[in-house]
Amino acid sequence: MPRRHDPGRRQRIIDAAIRVVGRGGIAGLSHRTVAAEADVPLGSTTYHFATLDELLVAALRQANEGFAEVMAAHPALADPAADLAGELARVLGEWLAGDGTGDRTGVELEYELYLAALRRPALRPVAAEWADGVARVLARRVDPVTARAVVALMDGICLQVLLTGTAYDEGYAREVLGRVLGR
């Protein structure tokens, strides 16, 4: 029987993995659950992703795009005349607002995949790509060491908001970012 050409199948599998993790966490992820979610044969998931770590790498890489898109939507981040601390605080607020309704499901999913790198070494380079990418954007305005410190602070603010369930405080974020930035 000839192989059916399905150029979108790999992407559907990644999207399905993200939905599965979003619903049940990484513990609920298996080739079988992803195949069922993507409505593809089980063999398709293992054809495209021999291991679950390979699938998680692809899912994390795609999830990282969410924050990159929010950053890219703020050209003022590169404007030397703009208040960098204020712009970054605004970016964090938009990202943490998720889909605009205050639903943080997508953001929580991104962090779950990001933090999975603690136990899954295969994910560590992808998690580092996220931090390096944000630092590169910031390095247009500040030195590389300060850029890395700002990334760590932004990460910490996001984790605290997500883990404690508290409302994001843009004024607080602006203040502490300003201190790290020396402004």
Side-chain angles (χ1 to χ4, degrees):
M1 190 153 115
R3 177 171 268 168
R4 194 176 105 201
H5 180 65
D6 185 358
R9 184 173 290 192
R10 184 178 192 281
Q11 184 60 51
R12 283 198 323 277
I13 292 168
I14 295 168
D15 293 341
I18 289 172
R19 288 191 305 273
V20 167
V21 172
R23 270 197 315 269
I26 290 176
L29 186 75
S30 69
H31 282 289
R32 189 171 305 285
T33 58
V34 171
E37 179 71 24
D39 195 27
V40 298
L42 178 59
S44 290
T45 63
T46 57
Y47 172 80
H48 290 286
F49 304 98
T51 67
L52 286 180
D53 279 352
E54 286 179 19
L55 181 53
L56 282 169
V57 163
L60 178 56
R61 198 163 265 134
Q62 182 169 310
N64 283 348
E65 294 170 5
F67 189 73
E69 289 169 7
V70 172
M71 293 275 293
H74 287 267
L77 290 172
D79 180 358
D83 170 25
L84 184 56
E87 287 299 318
L88 289 170
R90 213 171 349 276
V91 165
L92 287 180
E94 286 179 22
W95 188 62
L96 286 166
D99 61 5
T101 65
D103 179 11
R104 294 181 176 160
T105 304
V107 176
E108 290 169 358
L109 168 67
E110 288 180 48
Y111 261 95
E112 181 162 2
L113 290 168
Y114 178 65
L115 292 172
L118 291 170
R119 300 273 185 224
R120 294 177 178 264
L123 296 176
R124 291 179 185 158
V126 183
E129 285 172 16
W130 176 87
D132 292 344
V134 176
R136 271 193 305 282
V137 169
L138 296 174
R140 296 181 211 151
R141 295 279 309 272
V142 298
D143 65 272
V145 172
T146 302
R148 296 294 298 184
V150 169
V151 170
L153 176 58
M154 291 168 56
D155 218 3
I157 290 170
C158 290
L159 275 171
Q160 285 185 0
V161 167
L162 293 171
L163 293 174
T164 64
T166 58
Y168 172 67
D169 183 343
E170 188 172 314
Y172 166 78
R174 187 181 328 94
E175 174 68 24
V176 296
L177 285 163
R179 289 180 186 193
V180 170
L181 291 165
R183 294 174 179 98

